[in-house]
Amino acid sequence: MDFVNLLKSCDLKVTPQRLTLLGEIYKYGHIDIDTLFENIKKSFPTISLATLYKNINAMVEKSLLKEVKIVGMKNKYEITKKEHAHAICSSCGKVEDVYVDADTMKSNLETETQYYISKTDMNFFGECPDCKVS
Protein backbone atom coordinates (compact mmCIF):
# COMPACT_ATOMS: atom_id res chain seq x y z
CA MET A 1 0.00 0.00 0.00
CA ASP A 2 1.30 3.46 -0.89
CA PHE A 3 1.22 5.25 2.47
CA VAL A 4 3.06 8.33 1.17
CA ASN A 5 0.37 9.14 -1.39
CA LEU A 6 -2.36 8.14 1.07
CA LEU A 7 -1.11 10.75 3.55
CA LYS A 8 -0.65 13.36 0.83
CA SER A 9 -4.16 12.75 -0.52
CA CYS A 10 -5.49 13.58 2.96
CA ASP A 11 -3.34 16.73 3.21
CA LEU A 12 -1.26 15.20 5.99
CA LYS A 13 2.48 15.68 6.31
CA VAL A 14 4.49 12.57 5.50
CA THR A 15 6.68 11.67 8.49
CA PRO A 16 8.57 8.49 9.38
CA GLN A 17 6.35 8.09 12.46
CA ARG A 18 3.15 8.31 10.41
CA LEU A 19 4.48 5.86 7.83
CA THR A 20 5.37 3.39 10.58
CA LEU A 21 1.99 3.90 12.27
CA LEU A 22 0.14 3.17 9.02
CA GLY A 23 2.39 0.17 8.35
CA GLU A 24 1.53 -1.34 11.74
CA ILE A 25 -2.19 -0.77 11.31
CA TYR A 26 -2.06 -2.25 7.81
CA LYS A 27 -0.10 -5.29 9.06
CA TYR A 28 -2.58 -6.04 11.86
CA GLY A 29 -5.75 -4.96 10.05
CA HIS A 30 -7.29 -3.88 13.37
CA ILE A 31 -5.10 -2.79 16.27
CA ASP A 32 -5.69 -1.26 19.70
CA ILE A 33 -3.74 1.75 20.92
CA ASP A 34 -1.66 -0.20 23.47
CA THR A 35 -0.39 -2.72 20.93
CA LEU A 36 0.22 0.05 18.40
CA PHE A 37 2.15 2.11 20.97
CA GLU A 38 4.25 -0.89 22.00
CA ASN A 39 5.14 -1.64 18.36
CA ILE A 40 5.84 2.00 17.39
CA LYS A 41 8.18 2.43 20.38
CA LYS A 42 10.47 -0.24 18.87
CA SER A 43 11.24 2.12 15.98
CA PHE A 44 10.75 5.42 17.84
CA PRO A 45 11.67 4.87 21.52
CA THR A 46 11.06 8.52 22.46
CA ILE A 47 7.56 8.81 21.00
CA SER A 48 4.91 9.64 23.58
CA LEU A 49 1.43 8.22 23.83
CA ALA A 50 0.10 11.78 23.44
CA THR A 51 1.96 12.15 20.12
CA LEU A 52 0.58 8.83 18.93
CA TYR A 53 -2.97 9.88 19.81
CA LYS A 54 -2.42 13.25 18.12
CA ASN A 55 -1.41 11.52 14.88
CA ILE A 56 -4.22 8.98 15.06
CA ASN A 57 -6.80 11.70 15.73
CA ALA A 58 -5.52 13.73 12.77
CA MET A 59 -5.88 10.67 10.53
CA VAL A 60 -9.36 9.87 11.88
CA GLU A 61 -10.45 13.50 11.27
CA LYS A 62 -9.26 13.20 7.65
CA SER A 63 -11.07 9.83 7.33
CA LEU A 64 -7.80 8.04 6.63
CA LEU A 65 -8.30 5.88 9.73
CA LYS A 66 -11.47 4.60 11.29
CA GLU A 67 -11.95 3.96 14.99
CA VAL A 68 -13.70 0.63 15.52
CA LYS A 69 -15.71 0.69 18.74
CA ILE A 70 -16.37 -2.72 20.21
CA VAL A 71 -18.38 -3.17 23.39
CA GLY A 72 -16.28 -4.77 26.11
CA MET A 73 -12.98 -4.25 24.29
CA LYS A 74 -10.52 -1.45 23.71
CA ASN A 75 -11.24 0.51 20.56
CA LYS A 76 -9.27 -0.58 17.54
CA TYR A 77 -8.10 1.35 14.51
CA GLU A 78 -8.12 0.37 10.87
CA ILE A 79 -7.29 2.02 7.58
CA THR A 80 -10.57 3.26 6.10
CA LYS A 81 -11.89 1.12 3.28
CA LYS A 82 -15.16 0.20 1.59
CA GLU A 83 -18.07 0.09 4.06
CA HIS A 84 -18.11 -3.20 5.95
CA ALA A 85 -19.04 -4.87 9.21
CA HIS A 86 -16.84 -6.74 11.68
CA ALA A 87 -16.86 -10.33 12.88
CA ILE A 88 -15.42 -10.38 16.39
CA CYS A 89 -14.34 -13.46 18.32
CA SER A 90 -15.80 -13.37 21.82
CA SER A 91 -13.01 -15.64 23.07
CA CYS A 92 -9.74 -14.25 21.65
CA GLY A 93 -10.85 -10.80 20.46
CA LYS A 94 -9.82 -11.30 16.83
CA VAL A 95 -11.54 -8.82 14.47
CA GLU A 96 -12.18 -9.54 10.79
CA ASP A 97 -13.80 -7.46 8.09
CA VAL A 98 -17.00 -8.88 6.63
CA TYR A 99 -18.79 -7.40 3.67
CA VAL A 100 -22.57 -7.38 3.88
CA ASP A 101 -25.23 -5.67 1.81
CA ALA A 102 -25.43 -2.61 4.05
CA ASP A 103 -27.21 -0.56 1.36
CA THR A 104 -30.21 -2.90 1.33
CA MET A 105 -30.28 -3.06 5.13
CA LYS A 106 -30.06 0.74 5.32
CA SER A 107 -32.83 1.20 2.75
CA ASN A 108 -35.13 -1.27 4.54
CA LEU A 109 -34.50 0.41 7.88
CA GLU A 110 -35.17 3.87 6.46
CA THR A 111 -38.44 2.67 4.97
CA GLU A 112 -39.49 0.94 8.16
CA THR A 113 -38.55 3.73 10.60
CA GLN A 114 -38.63 6.89 8.45
CA TYR A 115 -35.13 7.65 9.75
CA TYR A 116 -32.44 8.97 7.43
CA ILE A 117 -29.51 6.67 8.17
CA SER A 118 -26.25 8.58 7.71
CA LYS A 119 -23.86 6.01 9.14
CA THR A 120 -23.77 2.29 9.80
CA ASP A 121 -21.59 0.44 12.27
CA MET A 122 -22.21 -3.30 12.49
CA ASN A 123 -20.44 -5.84 14.65
CA PHE A 124 -21.17 -9.55 14.76
CA PHE A 125 -19.92 -11.60 17.72
CA GLY A 126 -19.14 -15.30 17.86
CA GLU A 127 -16.18 -17.64 17.97
CA CYS A 128 -13.49 -17.68 15.31
CA PRO A 129 -12.51 -21.03 13.75
CA ASP A 130 -9.39 -21.29 15.96
CA CYS A 131 -11.34 -20.82 19.22
CA LYS A 132 -14.30 -22.94 18.10
CA VAL A 133 -12.16 -26.09 17.86
CA SER A 134 -10.45 -25.53 21.21
Side-chain angles (χ1 to χ4, degrees), residues 30-46:
H30 305 87
I31 190 169
D32 64 71
I33 193 72
D34 294 332
T35 305
L36 184 57
F37 185 57
E38 183 180 303
N39 291 351
I40 295 277
K41 282 194 75 72
K42 292 174 187 171
S43 299
F44 302 96
T46 60

Side-chain angles (χ1 to χ4, degrees), residues 4 7-14 18 58-59 62 64:
V4 171
L7 286 165
K8 287 180 180 179
S9 72
C10 293
D11 295 322
L12 291 167
K13 186 175 177 185
V14 177
R18 286 181 175 167
M59 291 183 202
K62 296 285 188 170
L64 172 58

Side-chain angles (χ1 to χ4, degrees), residues 2-112:
D2 184 358
F3 300 130
V4 171
N5 282 326
L6 196 55
L7 286 165
K8 287 180 180 179
S9 72
C10 293
D11 295 322
L12 291 167
K13 186 175 177 185
V14 177
T15 67
Q17 293 88 347
R18 286 181 175 167
L19 292 173
T20 302
L21 185 155
L22 287 172
E24 287 297 313
I25 294 173
Y26 182 76
K27 179 171 74 173
Y28 280 81
H30 305 87
I31 190 169
D32 64 71
I33 193 72
D34 294 332
T35 305
L36 184 57
F37 185 57
E38 183 180 303
N39 291 351
I40 295 277
K41 282 194 75 72
K42 292 174 187 171
S43 299
F44 302 96
T46 60
I47 195 168
S48 70
L49 188 56
T51 298
L52 182 58
Y53 267 116
K54 180 182 170 188
N55 280 285
I56 287 175
N57 289 335
M59 291 183 202
V60 168
E61 284 176 20
K62 296 285 188 170
S63 297
L64 172 58
L65 295 181
K66 181 180 178 198
E67 185 175 19
V68 180
K69 297 178 182 184
I70 304 168
V71 174
M73 296 174 64
K74 290 188 176 200
N75 293 345
K76 296 186 182 269
Y77 296 91
E78 68 180 348
I79 296 173
T80 302
K81 45 192 153 307
K82 178 180 164 191
E83 193 168 326
H84 60 281
H86 295 101
I88 302 155
C89 181
S90 299
S91 296
C92 70
K94 179 180 180 180
V95 178
E96 289 190 47
D97 294 341
V98 290
Y99 293 91
V100 296
D101 187 356
D103 289 336
T104 299
M105 293 171 81
K106 177 183 170 210
S107 177
N108 289 344
L109 188 60
E110 286 178 337
T111 300
E112 186 176 317

